[in-house]
């Protein structure tokens, strides 16, 4: 009877400690704010996202583009960036020149794509990623006047 009682107390302690781990991760967030769903992107576009990590300030990140719908897996065309964003109050902004870099020749006019931003977050001694994604349409038409 005493052994069962000790096991019961041990399980209660484990569950309460495990709840602390889950709540730390639930306070962490990654939100792709710009583009909004279905935005048309051309020329130079300012991407904006928010990353909040309860354990570290200004966590690492990366932004990728996929040629499949955001609801599908696979189709990674490449990385937009994993550095050089401006950061203020957990809001990151990055100016993406769609005409240069490794994605410039991969994006097709009128094509539907998926942008994914991921934060590399900490939870105590562990590291994990949390992501958000939005679909967008690419336009190769340049803006401005002649």
């Amino acid at each position: 009877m005493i052994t069962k009682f000790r096991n019961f107390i041990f399980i209660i302690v484990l569950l309460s400690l495990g709840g602390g781990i889950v709540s730390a991760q639930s306070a962490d967030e990654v939100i792709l704010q710009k583009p909004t769903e279905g935005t048309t992107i051309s020329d130079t576009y300012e991407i904006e996202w928010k990353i909040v990590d309860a354990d570290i300030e200004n966590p690492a990140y990366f932004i990728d583009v996929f040629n499949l719908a955001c609801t599908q897996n696979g189709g990674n065309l490449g990385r937009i960036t994993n550095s050089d964003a401006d950061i203020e109050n957990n809001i990151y902004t990055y100016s993406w020149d769609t005409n240069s870099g490794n994605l410039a020749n991969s994006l097709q006019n009128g094509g539907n794509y998926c942008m994914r931003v991921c934060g590399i977050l900490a939870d105590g001694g562990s590291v994990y990623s949390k992501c958000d994604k939005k679909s967008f349409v690419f336009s190769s038409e340049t803006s401005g006047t002649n």
Side-chain angles (χ1 to χ4, degrees), residues 37-123:
E37 192 71 31
T39 295
T40 297
I41 293 177
S42 62
D43 298 330
T44 301
Y45 184 83
E46 188 167 284
I47 303 167
E48 183 179 289
W49 65 99
K50 179 179 181 180
I51 301 179
V52 176
D53 188 323
D55 293 329
I56 58 175
E57 188 176 333
N58 301 333
Y61 61 87
F62 58 91
I63 305 173
D64 291 329
V65 171
F66 298 83
N67 65 356
L68 296 176
C70 288
T71 57
Q72 297 175 297
N73 292 325
N76 191 335
L77 289 178
R79 182 144 299 160
I80 295 174
T81 189
N82 61 358
S83 62
D84 298 329
D86 294 323
I87 308 166
E88 188 174 329
N89 297 324
N90 299 322
I91 304 295
Y92 293 65
T93 55
Y94 178 78
S95 185
W96 176 31
D97 181 358
T98 62
N99 298 310
S100 66
N102 63 341
L103 290 170
N105 295 324
S106 299
L107 301 174
Q108 301 297 313
N109 188 40
N112 294 301
Y113 298 95
C114 180
M115 182 183 297
R116 177 185 72 181
V117 61
C118 294
I120 310 301
L121 309 176
D123 182 26

Side-chain angles (χ1 to χ4, degrees), residues 2-14:
I2 292 176
T3 303
K4 286 183 182 181
F5 181 74
R6 279 190 220 154
N7 289 343
F8 178 74
I9 296 297
F10 179 73
I11 289 170
I12 297 290
V13 170
L14 264 176

Side-chain angles (χ1 to χ4, degrees), residues 26-39:
S26 66
D28 299 343
E29 61 182 354
V30 175
I31 302 169
L32 183 56
Q33 297 175 322
K34 242 180 102 180
T36 57
E37 192 71 31
T39 295

